[in-house]
Amino acid sequence: MRLEKCWFCSSTIYPGHGMMYVRNDAKIFRFCRSKCHKNFKMKRNPRKVKWTKIYRKLHGKELPQDTTFELERKRNRPERYDRNVVEDTVKAMKKISETRVEREAQTLANRMRGKKTQQRREDLAELQQGIHLVKAPTALLEEPSLTLPKEKMKVKVSVEQESKAMES
Amino acid sequence: MVHYNLKRITVVPTGKDFVDIVLSRTQRQTPTVIHKSYAINRIRQFYMRKVKYTQATFDEKLGTIIDEFPQLDDIHPFYGDLMNVLYDRDHYKLALGQLRTAKRLVEKICKDYVKLLKYGDSLYRCKQLKKAALGRMCTLMKRVGPSLAYLEQVRQHMARLPSIDPNTRTILICGYPNVGKSSFINKITRADVDVQPYAFTTKSLFVGHTDYKYLRWQVIDTPGILDHPLEDRNTIEMLSITALAHIRAAVLFFVDVSGSCGYSIAQQAALFNSIRPLFDNKPLLVVCSKIDLQSLESLPEEDRQLIMEMKKEASKCSGGIASEMMVEDDDCLLTMSTLTEEGVINVKNTACEKLLQHRVEGKMKSKKLEDVRNRIHVAMPRPRDTRERPPVIPAGVLEARAAAAPRAPRRLEKDLENENGGAGVYSANLRRRYILADESWKEDVVPEIADGHNIADFIDTDILKRLDELDREEHQREEGESEEEDMDDDEFRKLSPEEQEALAAIRLARRNIREEHRLKKTTADSRPMVPRKHDKDKRFTVSRMERHLSNLGIDPSAAAARARSKSRGRKRDRSLGYDEEAGVEAMDVEQPKSKKLRMKSRTRSQSRASMEVVPGEGFKDSAQKQQALALGKKAMKKRNKFARKGEADRTIVNLRPKHLFAGKRSTGKTDRR
């Protein structure tokens, strides 16, 4: 029993899922679902398809290479069973996946650094530019703060008048 | 010596057929057209040709027959004798002689008539002569007819004779009828001879072939021989006698010890003695067959005595070294049973061996051997030193020989399986034979998958080392992180909640503008468009305008007043605060001025109709007038331009009208309607 990786999107294929395609040159393609399979049939390059892991790694959205990835490697030569080794391995796996998660979070944080400042800058600019859509220039002159105008009494009266007009 | 192929003799036609063949051939192959007005020479030539041609044909055909049939003196005496036995030598010779005579006579006839034809003076005469000649030849043939028939019979029979080579290694089987000769030959060769319980089942010679020491051996099965003098023997027995007489072979004399053939051992011994002269210079074996019914030891004394005597005789007449030394050869007496197949192969091998020896001895005695020997030279390498060079046997082979003794049977997995319930019940524990560092690990349950990863991908003997490296890296990274400060400083301050509200409103406004624009771009074809006049959402009323302006933060009262003043009628008060009826300023009135104004300002569409009946209008009473007005109103009911579902839209009477759902298309598919 082995968990394979989807050729297109690089997600794990659990047993009972997906499809395997063997080409005439004996190269095996495994797909996790028909979405990936259909994309493959359309001859799309996973490196250009935004939601695949390959794209993300290539375009710096995610951690591209790391020692944690190198520790998980498909070994073609089977090792003789050794209980201690397997025990250690199982424990190590946990630790490795923890470190990997931390590192991925770190990369995300790095990527998002400065985003807040930029966001704030943009918001402020938008506010300054678009305030004329919600506040009249005369009101702006009276009250130069970039906030909505205060509620006027007139608003209430006009409602009352209208209701009266409908009755008559 | 002419080689005869007894199987390929041309068919001998009957007398009548012969004549037909020859005459029709003459008819076809010679010219047929002649006229009495031709030159006489020509006529003569014509007819002479016919006569000669007929004679030539007779000659040819008779000649082939005579040549193809073997001369009994020319062929091997065995075959000669065989044919004598089968076809009677005299009769055969006479028949052939007759044919020869016929041939000669035909030639004579031809000569005579050709001479006469030379002097034929008319067509008629020549023709008669030709007719006479041909007629005489044909009558001759008719007289020869019986010989031809006989020869045809001979030919057919000869073709079916077994092809026995009298010169090669042969084993001859003889004995009383029903002793088991045919069964024996069936056993050692592929011949399929009839085996039946009655005597004289085998009526002719049968040949089979077998192998021994990479050589081909002929085995001849003969019909049974009875014990009476030669003159009284019938044809079938004579066949065996002929074979015995002429073929230099190893002879197997079969004795039936059980007596189930119907003849006692005494009778068989008597036969043996009577045909003993035939066994001269032939290796002889006395074979006791049917040993499963009666063993040799349990025979009565006289019978055993007889058999022993036969054996003695056999060893004597075998010839060779044994007879010279007058020693009884044990090999001469053999026992076997074709039913249980014991001793059959032994008999064959002994017979072959004996014959081989006999032949070799014969060859050695003849002069031919010297010729051969002179030509054979075995080269022996000259020894260059006195060193011993024994053959090399590899150590493995020596060990194998040493361990040739069979070991004690091991307990196999198969035995284990059988003990524990058999194939379907027991499933072998494959882990039993695992080679591991620690035996207690054999029954471990090894996980393969954990947390979405394959454990096998992580297995590494120095995984702990790798883990340490990883820890070190992590430490380094963390330190590096703590040194770095949070770069997200307050370069730009956070927005206050009111500002955020404003931002949200701005975005909403922008979105609305976009949406409106997109809607404006669409045509009435793609979405139902309500005319602006009837669209309730787009009414441009003053109250809406007021609301919009107050949302923006402007005081709407001035704009509202301006808008209303434009919609009022001209005759009424223009100025804002003056009330004509009251004659006072609107300020004094309790009602607020705007409300009064609004009451008064009405658009034209709102005209009021009273319910009082005015005479002259033509109504009976107010109820009638009301009804009339209502009808009038209904008639002027406006079209529903609000793009809402109307009465007509609420039900579909016929969900599947036939014209939409039935029928074929002339072109295209009907899976979409």
Side-chain angles (χ1 to χ4, degrees):
Chain A
M1 186 68 45
R2 238 198 97 81
L3 300 176
E4 304 285 351
K5 289 262 178 260
C6 174
W7 184 85
F8 197 81
C9 63
S10 318
S11 62
T12 46
I13 307 176
Y14 279 86
H17 291 261
M19 194 151 24
M20 173 162 85
Y21 165 61
V22 182
R23 217 166 43 182
N24 275 356
D25 60 357
K27 187 155 158 53
I28 296 175
F29 298 87
R30 291 173 199 273
F31 305 105
C32 59
R33 54 204 197 285
S34 61
K35 176 177 179 181
C36 303
H37 184 51
K38 284 183 181 153
N39 270 303
F40 173 80
K41 282 198 282 188
M42 275 194 271
K43 296 188 172 179
R44 287 208 182 138
N45 190 353
R47 284 156 196 275
K48 293 191 179 176
V49 177
K50 290 267 165 59
W51 50 272
T52 55
K53 253 294 186 274
I54 303 170
Y55 174 93
R56 292 186 65 86
K57 285 198 198 288
L58 216 62
H59 288 74
K61 316 281 184 197
E62 266 180 31
L63 197 61
Q65 71 207 47
D66 195 38
T67 42
T68 44
F69 297 140
E70 280 156 37
L71 284 171
E72 178 180 5
R73 188 167 46 94
K74 181 172 180 198
R75 283 144 237 269
N76 286 320
R77 200 181 283 143
E79 298 274 337
R80 202 180 281 279
Y81 173 69
D82 190 326
R83 191 195 276 182
N84 304 320
V85 170
V86 173
E87 264 187 64
D88 294 336
T89 308
V90 172
K91 287 184 193 143
M93 266 169 75
K94 235 197 180 81
K95 186 84 177 49
I96 290 165
S97 57
E98 277 170 19
T99 42
R100 190 184 62 246
V101 165
E102 275 177 30
R103 287 186 190 180
E104 278 178 358
Q106 182 63 27
T107 43
L108 181 68
N110 288 345
R111 203 149 66 91
M112 293 299 145
R113 204 184 310 140
K115 185 71 183 258
K116 252 194 211 150
T117 328
Q118 192 190 10
Q119 190 74 38
R120 281 184 200 160
R121 185 164 11 110
E122 282 173 7
D123 285 350
L124 204 61
E126 196 176 348
L127 197 57
Q128 284 171 345
Q129 282 171 7
I131 196 68
H132 67 93
L133 289 174
V134 292
K135 200 168 183 180
T138 45
L140 201 60
L141 278 173
E142 291 165 21
E143 205 190 326
S145 71
L146 291 170
T147 51
L148 289 170
K150 294 196 182 65
E151 282 183 34
K152 307 277 183 187
M153 289 274 281
K154 283 288 177 186
V155 181
K156 274 194 196 163
V157 170
S158 57
V159 170
E160 206 187 321
Q161 289 280 33
E162 211 172 79
S163 58
K164 282 239 171 104
M166 289 188 69
E167 279 168 33
S168 63
Chain B
M1 176 147 140
V2 189
H3 283 276
Y4 298 109
N5 188 352
L6 295 183
K7 293 193 194 290
R8 292 254 201 106
I9 304 176
T10 30
V11 181
V12 180
T14 60
K16 211 149 137 293
D17 283 342
F18 208 139
V19 163
D20 283 338
I21 291 165
V22 175
L23 289 179
S24 66
R25 190 140 159 227
T26 317
Q27 172 82 355
R28 276 181 293 129
Q29 304 290 349
T30 51
T32 50
V33 181
I34 193 75
H35 202 261
K36 65 179 175 187
S37 62
Y38 289 178
I40 188 66
N41 268 338
R42 189 171 164 191
I43 296 171
R44 282 179 194 147
Q45 252 185 3
F46 177 83
Y47 283 110
M48 278 202 288
R49 188 164 166 190
K50 285 220 185 263
V51 172
K52 279 191 200 155
Y53 192 83
T54 313
Q55 181 266 328
T57 316
F58 267 119
D59 208 53
E60 187 196 317
K61 291 209 176 291
L62 286 170
T64 47
I65 295 170
I66 291 161
D67 289 335
E68 281 186 348
F69 273 86
Q71 300 294 316
L72 291 182
D73 304 319
D74 285 345
I75 51 183
H76 194 274
F78 165 65
Y79 273 107
D81 236 3
L82 191 71
M83 303 227 300
N84 177 22
V85 166
L86 290 168
Y87 316 127
D88 193 12
R89 185 197 193 88
D90 300 331
H91 193 177
Y92 182 83
K93 276 188 157 179
L94 273 173
L96 281 179
Q98 262 200 339
L99 287 187
R100 263 190 223 104
T101 326
K103 195 163 115 177
R104 218 162 18 96
L105 288 174
V106 160
E107 215 182 299
K108 208 151 152 290
I109 295 169
C110 169
K111 258 198 234 149
D112 291 341
Y113 277 88
V114 161
K115 269 193 220 150
L116 285 174
L117 269 166
K118 272 201 287 194
Y119 304 107
D121 45 5
S122 70
L123 180 121
Y124 179 74
R125 186 114 9 152
C126 291
K127 188 168 178 183
Q128 294 289 72
L129 283 170
K130 171 216 117 190
K131 254 172 67 173
L134 260 51
R136 271 179 76 172
M137 290 181 204
C138 293
T139 338
L140 202 70
M141 270 307 116
K142 276 202 211 128
R143 279 219 314 267
V144 165
S147 300
L148 289 169
Y150 166 77
L151 281 173
E152 173 59 20
Q153 298 263 335
V154 167
R155 181 196 77 86
Q156 281 179 0
H157 197 274
M158 254 192 329
R160 291 203 188 87
L161 284 179
S163 46
I164 298 173
D165 185 358
N167 298 319
T168 180
R169 304 160 287 273
T170 322
I171 297 175
L172 211 58
I173 311 173
C174 62
Y176 253 97
N178 250 354
V179 294
K181 305 189 286 297
S182 303
S183 324
F184 178 69
I185 195 175
N186 279 345
K187 278 277 176 295
I188 54 173
T189 68
R190 278 201 69 193
D192 204 6
V193 187
D194 237 2
V195 176
Q196 297 284 348
Y198 60 85
F200 290 104
T201 317
T202 314
K203 289 193 248 307
S204 64
L205 301 173
F206 285 95
V207 192
H209 293 87
T210 182
D211 296 311
Y212 179 74
K213 284 197 179 165
Y214 309 108
L215 296 167
R216 254 292 116 125
W217 296 75
Q218 259 181 164
V219 186
I220 303 181
D221 180 26
T222 65
I225 320 168
L226 296 171
D227 188 19
H228 38 227
L230 193 65
E231 305 78 42
D232 300 343
R233 291 196 185 284
N234 61 25
T235 325
I236 303 175
E237 290 171 333
M238 281 310 292
L239 286 174
S240 333
I241 302 293
T242 319
L244 277 172
H246 292 286
I247 303 181
R248 283 174 54 233
V251 182
L252 299 176
F253 186 82
F254 271 58
V255 180
D256 180 359
V257 290
S258 68
S260 62
C261 63
Y263 305 97
S264 68
I265 300 190
Q267 285 174 308
Q268 297 181 45
L271 172 68
F272 179 83
N273 290 324
S274 64
I275 59 174
R276 201 191 155 308
L278 285 170
F279 299 148
D280 272 334
N281 280 336
K282 297 192 175 70
L284 175 65
L285 274 175
V286 178
V287 179
C288 302
S289 70
K290 303 197 191 168
I291 210 74
D292 54 312
L293 294 171
Q294 170 88 349
S295 79
L296 206 56
E297 288 74 22
S298 57
L299 271 178
E301 193 52 47
E302 318 99 30
D303 289 336
R304 191 114 52 90
Q305 196 63 21
L306 287 166
I307 293 180
M308 290 304 148
E309 273 180 24
M310 278 203 281
K311 179 170 149 190
K312 225 193 303 182
E313 291 289 339
S315 57
K316 254 197 276 177
C317 77
S318 280
I321 310 160
S323 69
E324 286 171 12
M325 308 205 325
M326 298 298 271
V327 169
E328 263 189 43
D329 196 357
D330 266 336
D331 266 350
C332 280
L333 182 71
L334 292 170
T335 60
M336 61 148 238
S337 162
T338 46
L339 196 68
T340 59
E341 289 194 44
E342 56 169 294
V344 171
I345 306 291
N346 192 22
V347 167
K348 176 192 121 185
N349 290 348
T350 325
C352 295
E353 230 8 277
K354 281 202 133 186
L355 184 65
L356 260 180
Q357 270 180 8
H358 183 81
R359 281 167 76 100
V360 165
E361 279 170 27
K363 282 197 181 128
M364 296 230 292
K365 283 187 198 148
S366 72
K367 280 196 218 141
K368 266 202 208 162
L369 190 68
E370 284 305 314
D371 299 337
V372 176
R373 223 186 238 171
N374 290 339
R375 286 190 229 152
I376 296 173
H377 169 70
V378 177
M380 296 294 286
R382 222 170 0 139
R384 54 177 180 200
D385 56 19
T386 54
R387 192 158 156 212
E388 274 259 345
R389 288 186 176 86
V392 174
I393 303 173
V397 173
L398 282 171
E399 277 173 30
R401 285 193 199 160
R407 290 170 288 170
R410 307 196 307 262
R411 189 180 150 87
L412 305 168
E413 282 285 346
K414 206 162 46 148
D415 302 328
L416 197 62
E417 185 185 70
N418 288 331
E419 281 164 30
N420 290 350
V425 177
Y426 171 78
S427 76
N429 187 6
L430 301 164
R431 292 168 179 251
R432 239 164 38 101
R433 297 199 157 252
Y434 278 9
I435 303 163
L436 298 172
D438 189 347
E439 296 296 307
S440 62
W441 295 344
K442 276 189 183 172
E443 300 297 326
D444 270 358
V445 175
V446 186
E448 289 172 33
I449 298 168
D451 282 340
H453 297 281
N454 297 304
I455 289 177
D457 291 345
F458 283 91
I459 283 183
D460 203 347
T461 39
D462 42 352
I463 189 133
L464 294 169
K465 195 170 67 171
R466 298 277 168 82
L467 210 58
D468 289 336
E469 279 176 29
L470 201 72
D471 279 336
R472 249 180 287 132
E473 276 179 30
E474 277 298 295
H475 282 308
Q476 280 180 348
R477 193 170 61 80
E478 275 166 25
E479 284 164 25
E481 262 182 45
S482 58
E483 280 164 16
E484 262 180 33
E485 269 149 33
D486 196 11
M487 298 292 267
D488 277 348
D489 55 353
D490 302 274
E491 195 181 311
F492 292 92
R493 56 158 177 81
K494 246 177 144 178
L495 292 174
S496 63
E498 297 91 16
E499 282 179 330
Q500 277 178 6
E501 259 187 74
L503 191 60
I506 290 168
R507 290 194 177 137
L508 185 67
R510 282 224 168 98
R511 243 202 312 256
N512 285 336
I513 292 166
R514 237 180 281 142
E515 227 184 282
E516 270 180 48
H517 176 70
R518 285 186 189 149
L519 285 178
K520 249 202 257 181
K521 278 202 302 183
T522 59
T523 55
D525 290 343
S526 47
R527 41 179 290 281
M529 285 196 82
V530 183
R532 197 189 289 177
K533 222 173 25 165
H534 303 282
D535 194 356
K536 287 220 166 74
D537 300 329
K538 285 207 179 70
R539 276 178 308 183
F540 199 54
T541 54
V542 177
S543 50
R544 282 201 178 180
M545 188 183 74
E546 275 187 347
R547 209 174 334 139
H548 183 63
L549 287 173
S550 62
N551 282 346
L552 283 175
I554 306 168
D555 183 11
S557 46
R562 216 176 13 255
R564 283 204 195 97
S565 70
K566 284 201 178 133
S567 65
R568 269 182 354 159
R570 305 271 159 154
K571 272 203 176 170
R572 303 274 175 187
D573 300 332
R574 282 218 190 116
S575 60
L576 280 164
Y578 193 67
D579 187 11
E580 226 181 283
E581 282 180 28
V584 293
E585 297 226 350
M587 287 287 200
D588 300 343
V589 179
E590 278 178 45
Q591 270 182 343
K593 35 187 177 178
S594 44
K595 187 175 180 201
K596 193 127 194 258
L597 283 165
R598 209 168 276 125
M599 274 167 68
K600 294 242 170 133
S601 71
R602 286 202 184 91
T603 53
R604 248 189 248 160
S605 58
Q606 275 192 349
S607 47
R608 206 186 252 190
S610 66
M611 276 185 270
E612 302 139 20
V613 177
V614 176
E617 278 181 338
F619 292 115
K620 196 171 62 178
D621 51 18
S622 82
Q624 201 189 45
K625 187 176 184 185
Q626 263 183 350
Q627 202 188 4
L629 285 169
L631 279 174
K633 233 193 202 172
K634 226 186 193 177
M636 285 185 16
K637 209 170 196 175
K638 288 199 181 157
R639 269 171 57 218
N640 183 359
K641 293 190 175 179
F642 308 125
R644 285 190 290 172
K645 203 171 180 185
E647 289 170 356
D649 300 324
R650 286 207 181 110
T651 50
I652 303 167
V653 172
N654 193 358
L655 275 172
R656 306 189 70 197
K658 188 171 176 190
H659 71 282
L660 294 178
F661 285 92
K664 293 189 182 180
R665 302 229 164 114
S666 54
T667 55
K669 296 193 276 189
T670 52
D671 57 342
R672 282 188 298 270
R673 286 189 179 269

